[in-house]
Amino acid sequence: MLNRWKERGLLWHGLPLLALMVWGVFCITNNLWYDEAYSAALVSQPWQKLIYITAVDAHSPFYYVPLKLVYELFGGGTHFFVLKLMSLLFMMGYMFLGKYYVAKLFDRRTSVWFMFFSLCAPIMSVQAGNVRMYAMGLFFMTLTGLLMYDTYLEATPHKWALLCLASIGTVYCHTFAMVQCFLLYLLFFAVILYKKQYDKVRGFFLCGGIVAVVFSPWLWVTYKQMTMRMTNDVGSAVNRANLSSLWDYCKEWFSAVETPILPVVYLGVLLCVCLVILGVVATCKNHNAAVAIGVASLGLTVLAGFLISVFINNCFMGRYVFPGFGFLMLFYAVGVRSLDNNYLKTVIVAIALLCFGMQYTSEVALEYDKGLDVYETFWEENVTEDDVMIGPYTHTIFLNVYHPEITYYILGYKNYKLPFQNTEALVDYNDLKDVQGNIWYVGFGDERPHQLEHLCDYEEKIRFQHMYYDFVIYQLEWRE
């Protein structure tokens, strides 16, 4: 039946629409976790400060510029679903690359399998509505790889120009997207030489040279970012990655880093191993290593990130290579496409759907939890414009994005790249004596304001769960 549907084009036409409905569920809420709140706070800053913060953080401003334009276009404020919709836009662009470009370079059945595995992969649902640059990176990286293969088949000035633009978009999305794009170019050049397609060498160097020149100003900034991280982030330099870190990567690749479901992780790893083996077999049988080269660039990027985290600085996380996951999905598709055993295909489909169903249910429950409503009710009933909110460290203060109008303090230290508005370091506790309104302390779990116990009495006012976090808020009263 699945084959008949594929032949009639029902899945080929229907899967992008299904993806829009499935992923769109994550883009109509106002719930943000810390990294998303960071992005939302950053685009609320003036342009000059946005560029400065990205220059001292770990990413280029490329993603944040269109994000800020979208934010301003829809009026700004504290309703952030429009920011999620931009990620959905790039995810849908990725799906249409699968529908049309994969079908053009391979065939419709490969295209259907590509879209199917992309839709079912738990990490795709996690990133589809995430207010971060990963969906944009996925689109540009996948487009870059497909254009490389298309150029390999038949080079034209038009394709070289598009490859150049897609590559520039890729390298400016994320540092590790830049690393993977560089490795992909090296492998592409090796193929050109191996196949003796010397007529493409000039176009390759012209295209690669333009990308290098355009990225070169930010390459220096990236170097400064890395040295600054090694200097300031002592914990990352001391607590290096180890073999158990590989398992942490797998949790994020095949489930979700903050809310992993172990059966989903195990089944995802098993499915990956089986489909990669099928992909290798199909590559050898078809004598076409194009898709394998994309996966090789992904694997080499993982290896590079892991080795850097082991020997230099623990700066790598699983989602950093998400922009290259389109290559893995295509490798899955090529492997299953070449499989003749319908029973095995049914098992593979069943496992993929099971993993998707379990993780998707969890993510929807998380996205639609009522914690933010509880917090907003508390705010309306208790907080005034003269109040201040204190947090023990950066991550407890990210609720600032929902109410940036009051004053926020972080105990003792404010990160130089923190974008949250009206947020300062609280060094002199005597500053609290001048507060006209209430003083609130927000922490995680069972945290108490022990740093202020010698100066203030405190009373617990509310506990609530929001996204990945259990919050507690105390009201402080200054002792005379």
Side-chain angles (χ1 to χ4, degrees), residues 21 31 34-35 39-40 44 49 88 96 101 145 152 175 184 193 211 214 228 253 261 265 268 350 365 370 372:
M21 293 188 292
N31 283 356
Y34 178 81
D35 282 11
S39 298
S44 68
K49 192 168 184 180
L88 179 62
F96 281 112
Y101 212 174
Y152 165 78
T175 301
L184 190 61
L193 295 181
V211 176
V214 172
M228 188 179 297
W253 293 335
I261 302 174
V265 181
K370 300 298 182 181
L372 183 59

Side-chain angles (χ1 to χ4, degrees), residues 97-345:
L97 286 178
K99 180 178 180 180
Y100 293 109
Y101 212 174
V102 170
K104 173 182 178 292
L105 297 176
F106 298 90
D107 55 49
R108 276 200 178 190
R109 287 195 179 185
T110 303
S111 171
V112 167
W113 283 114
F114 173 86
M115 291 189 287
F116 171 78
F117 286 119
S118 296
L119 182 59
C120 290
I123 192 172
M124 295 288 181
S125 291
V126 172
Q127 296 298 340
N130 200 355
V131 188
R132 298 296 285 168
M133 69 290 299
Y134 302 111
M136 175 187 278
L138 177 70
F139 171 78
F140 280 112
M141 180 67 78
T142 305
L143 178 58
T144 297
L146 293 175
L147 280 167
M148 278 188 180
Y149 183 46
D150 200 4
T151 304
Y152 165 78
L153 295 176
E154 183 183 2
T156 65
H158 177 70
K159 292 176 185 177
W160 283 119
L162 288 177
L163 175 59
C164 186
L165 292 174
S167 301
I168 291 171
T170 300
V171 297
Y172 268 107
C173 276
H174 191 278
T175 301
F176 279 97
M178 179 269 292
V179 172
Q180 185 170 351
C181 190
F182 173 73
L183 292 170
L184 190 61
Y185 264 77
L186 289 181
L187 292 171
F188 183 38
F189 185 59
V191 170
I192 289 175
L193 295 181
Y194 178 75
K195 293 294 185 178
K196 298 181 180 179
Q197 295 187 351
Y198 301 123
D199 58 312
K200 294 185 174 68
V201 171
R202 179 182 177 184
F204 173 86
F205 278 107
L206 181 61
C207 179
I210 292 173
V211 176
V213 168
V214 172
F215 187 72
S216 59
W218 204 258
L219 184 62
W220 171 249
V221 176
T222 301
Y223 171 75
K224 297 296 291 183
Q225 289 170 347
M226 294 178 66
T227 55
M228 188 179 297
R229 178 188 175 99
M230 293 173 65
T231 302
N232 295 289
D233 194 351
V234 179
S236 295
V238 174
N239 301 315
R240 306 283 178 80
N242 50 47
L243 290 178
S244 66
S245 300
L246 296 174
W247 180 240
D248 292 333
Y249 303 158
C250 287
K251 289 178 182 178
E252 187 158 20
W253 293 335
F254 304 112
S255 183
V257 66
E258 300 289 347
T259 54
I261 302 174
L262 288 182
V264 174
V265 181
Y266 290 128
L267 287 172
V269 172
L270 174 64
L271 198 63
C272 180
V273 171
C274 294
L275 292 178
V276 166
I277 291 173
L278 287 176
V280 171
V281 172
T283 297
C284 296
K285 182 169 40 175
N286 299 329
H287 303 288
N288 186 346
V291 181
I293 288 171
V295 174
S297 70
L298 173 63
L300 289 172
T301 306
V302 172
L303 179 63
F306 177 67
L307 292 178
I308 291 171
S309 294
V310 169
F311 295 106
I312 301 176
N313 186 279
N314 194 359
C315 62
F316 181 72
M317 299 184 71
R319 60 178 169 270
Y320 291 173
V321 294
F322 176 72
F325 260 59
F327 301 148
L328 184 61
M329 298 299 102
L330 187 54
F331 204 55
Y332 283 7
V334 169
V336 175
R337 173 70 177 85
S338 66
L339 187 63
D340 295 325
N341 190 315
N342 288 330
Y343 173 77
L344 289 179
K345 283 184 180 180

